[in-house]
Amino acid sequence: MATTNVLATSNAVKLNGVSFLSSFSGKPNHYLQPRRLSQTTRRVQTSCLYREAVTSLVTPKTETSRNSDGIGIVRFLEGKSYLVTGATGFLAKVLIEKLLRESLEIGKIFLLMRSKDQESANKRLYDEIISSDLFNLLKQMHGSSYEAFMKSKLIPVIGDIGEDNLGIKSEIANMISEEIDVIISCGGRTTFDDRYDSALSVNALGPDRLLSFGKECKKLKLFLHFSTAYVTGKREGTVLETPLCIGENITSDLNIESELKLASEAVKKFRGRKEVKKLKELGFQSRAQHYGWENSYTFTKAIGEAVIHSKRGDLPVVIIRPSVIESSYKEPFPGWIQGTRMADPIILAYAKGQMYDFWGDSQSLLDIIPVDMVANAAIAAMAKHGCGVPELKVYNVTSSSHVNPMRAGELMDLSHQHLCEFPLEETVIDYFKFHISFEDFTSALSNTIMKQERVLIDKEGRGLSKKGKRKLNYFVSLARTYQPYTFFQARFDDTNTTSLIHEMSMEERKMFGFDIKGIDWEHYIVNVHLPGLKKKYLSEKTE
């Protein structure tokens, strides 16, 4: 890719027209010492290495009056009912928890679930939501009536956004359409190299099916859709908060019907053992790359946004575009996480002594956003736009536009610092090194694996064992998948998001805060995210 070639021959990184020179000329970064440092000492080292040249994209604005009513978030939430897709996913669960905790007079939350029957749907509700430790604060609030409260508010609905009419039985659909005020589109397929037909069906056509359902809802006030900040494809400079539209900021060469037909024909052609592999290659290497997207996930999410833009009619729509969502910053407690987020496989491999090298630029911006801030931003936007005005508004909920973005090297150096003091396993934590050259990365990784499996090398002492080759191929594949993010060149404009914050009252900012400028990245990574990630890993290991 062009970006790779530029970075491989230059030590300067350009962001929004500003050059940031690497102090280390592409050499491995050894920034933090493996010992306990004082907060002041660590802050000085971090600041000098990563933050000296970053300027904010946001123009300062006057603070909202402390006596202002703000947006009226709590007032808006009272009595409202919702339909939520992707309800058992990471972000949706945090959003549901927040709604239930802050809105005492909330109506019902209908949860679209893929289940064979109502009994299995009820079981999923209990196993994946009601019994989750994410809801411990609600358990404390309601005591012995907790389960009764949850079952009175959370209604599992058998359905699938990949099916016509959402796969909901007509009598159930009619009942829901009479009650809901807001549709929250949180479902999607998030695998970067997903099979193309499945990604198109859910990410591209799913929003269309939801919109069609929403237009039948008698009192619907808002359609809230979660997309991704990377939905605009391979970009440099500043990524604006503007809707995607085929023929404007998406090439008119893209024809959705043609893509659906292509995927359908591929399914018929590649039936059998090669089906999944070929359909993944079609989406990832053929279609997404052809049109200027990094992978089939961001490409199909872009199509989904374009569908919303063209078919929403006069329905009020908000699109939330978060960047890399990671563990909670504060709520309902720090460090809660579900699933394996994007940066986590690298951190865990490093913590287990499996990998000390990766392909990327240590100075590239790593746009991370805690999950509770994404949920809070969505709730604030919901209240702001849930008044029936037929507009489409986009919010980038990101961190790279501010004065204190995180860099890839900083994340791994803070991980090194934490793991030296609190190791995950009994292993020596060496320094983590980024390699701008792909060849240097693969060579260093091969050497590491050779050292790790001394007794597993073949009898002649040559090459890697089969297990070692599988490990090498896995990490190389991971590096190729993450390449657009470990060499990330753009910054996300968040003018709309910042304006939303300034419209909130001081009390609302305390209750529904999402101002990324307030994040202490060192505290978040060392004291919040890594302990949460380790706790999750160890609990899964013992299950």
Side-chain angles (χ1 to χ4, degrees), residues 187-190 198-207 296-297 300-301 303-304:
R189 295 178 70 95
T190 58
S198 299
L200 278 174
S201 177
V202 175
N203 295 342
L205 298 187
S296 54
Y297 166 62
T300 53
K301 291 292 282 187
I303 297 176

Side-chain angles (χ1 to χ4, degrees), residues 351-385:
K352 292 185 282 187
Q354 296 177 344
M355 180 179 66
Y356 300 111
D357 305 89
F358 207 69
W359 188 31
D361 184 356
S362 63
Q363 297 294 315
S364 64
L365 294 180
L366 188 62
D367 202 303
I368 285 176
I369 187 78
V371 63
D372 48 335
M373 290 192 171
V374 180
N376 285 340
I379 293 172
M382 190 189 306
K384 165 72 177 175
H385 299 282

Side-chain angles (χ1 to χ4, degrees), residues 348-354 356 419-430 452 534 537-538 541:
L348 287 173
Y350 178 51
K352 292 185 282 187
Q354 296 177 344
Y356 300 111
L419 292 168
C420 283
E421 298 181 25
F422 308 103
L424 178 65
E425 295 181 354
E426 293 183 5
T427 183
V428 176
I429 303 298
D430 201 351
Q452 291 171 344
K534 288 162 61 179
Y537 168 76
L538 293 172
K541 188 177 179 181

Side-chain angles (χ1 to χ4, degrees), residues 63 85 104 194 204 209 251 314 364 397 478 497-498 512 543:
E63 289 292 312
T85 67
L104 299 179
D194 198 5
R209 299 184 185 105
T251 176
D314 59 357
S364 64
V397 185
L478 196 66
T497 303
T498 301
F512 303 95
E543 287 179 357

Side-chain angles (χ1 to χ4, degrees), residues 28-40:
N29 52 309
H30 299 163
Y31 301 155
L32 296 176
Q33 298 300 316
R35 58 184 176 84
R36 181 179 293 276
L37 302 174
S38 69
Q39 180 72 18
T40 302

Side-chain angles (χ1 to χ4, degrees), residues 323 366-369 397-402 404-406 516 521:
S323 51
L366 188 62
D367 202 303
I368 285 176
I369 187 78
V397 185
T398 58
S399 61
S400 66
S401 61
H402 293 290
N404 69 330
M406 171 103 62
I516 200 72
W521 287 115

Side-chain angles (χ1 to χ4, degrees), residues 95-339:
L95 178 60
I96 291 167
E97 193 277 341
K98 181 73 172 186
L99 289 171
L100 291 171
R101 184 158 46 86
E102 297 294 356
S103 180
L104 299 179
E105 302 300 323
I106 194 171
K108 293 181 174 63
I109 303 179
F110 296 93
L111 311 177
L112 193 69
M113 290 185 172
R114 294 177 62 184
S115 299
K116 62 180 181 179
D117 53 36
Q118 195 60 50
E119 182 180 353
S120 60
N122 292 337
K123 186 176 187 304
R124 283 195 68 189
L125 172 66
Y126 183 83
D127 291 345
E128 300 181 47
I129 295 179
I130 294 177
S131 63
S132 171
D133 60 355
L134 173 67
F135 296 87
N136 282 347
L137 282 181
L138 279 167
K139 293 176 185 177
Q140 295 174 16
M141 288 172 58
H142 293 278
S144 59
S145 62
Y146 165 72
E147 283 193 25
F149 167 76
M150 294 290 278
K151 290 177 180 178
S152 70
K153 298 298 182 183
L154 303 181
I155 313 300
V157 177
I158 300 173
D160 187 344
I161 60 172
E163 297 180 9
D164 292 338
N165 302 317
L166 304 180
I168 304 176
K169 292 182 179 179
S170 57
E171 61 271 21
I172 302 296
N174 292 335
M175 181 269 292
I176 295 173
S177 68
E178 297 285 343
E179 294 201 35
I180 61 171
D181 301 276
V182 179
I183 289 177
I184 301 177
S185 172
C186 206
R189 295 178 70 95
T190 58
T191 304
F192 287 167
D193 63 343
D194 198 5
R195 51 185 290 164
Y196 194 40
D197 59 328
S198 299
L200 278 174
S201 177
V202 175
N203 295 342
L205 298 187
D208 186 21
R209 299 184 185 105
L210 270 176
L211 277 174
S212 297
F213 183 85
K215 290 175 182 179
E216 300 299 319
C217 296
K218 306 298 187 296
K219 57 175 186 173
L220 190 70
K221 298 174 177 61
L222 186 69
F223 184 93
L224 181 77
H225 177 69
F226 284 98
S227 185
T228 169
Y230 302 96
V231 77
T232 53
K234 300 173 185 177
R235 298 289 176 89
E236 295 187 8
T238 303
V239 179
L240 301 177
E241 295 169 300
T242 53
L244 293 181
C245 179
I246 294 176
E248 293 182 12
N249 45 15
I250 296 180
T251 176
S252 56
D253 293 340
L254 175 60
N255 183 287
I256 298 175
E257 293 300 323
S258 296
E259 295 303 309
L260 292 170
K261 182 179 179 181
L262 184 67
S264 177
E265 290 174 349
V267 171
K268 297 175 183 177
K269 179 180 178 181
F270 298 121
R271 287 192 182 279
R273 295 176 59 185
K274 293 183 178 180
E275 178 181 353
V276 174
K277 180 182 178 182
K278 292 295 183 180
L279 286 169
K280 285 184 175 183
E281 290 175 352
L282 176 64
F284 191 93
Q285 298 174 4
S286 177
R287 310 315 295 164
Q289 296 285 330
H290 172 74
Y291 285 110
W293 272 262
E294 295 89 355
N295 49 60
S296 54
Y297 166 62
T298 54
F299 179 47
T300 53
K301 291 292 282 187
I303 297 176
E305 280 201 26
V307 168
I308 290 172
H309 184 274
S310 64
K311 295 191 175 183
R312 70 182 183 87
D314 59 357
L315 194 64
V317 171
V318 165
I319 295 177
I320 304 291
R321 291 179 182 164
S323 51
V324 179
I325 306 177
E326 287 287 358
S327 61
S328 58
Y329 189 57
K330 292 182 179 179
E331 293 187 275
F333 51 84
W336 189 81
I337 191 169
Q338 174 178 295

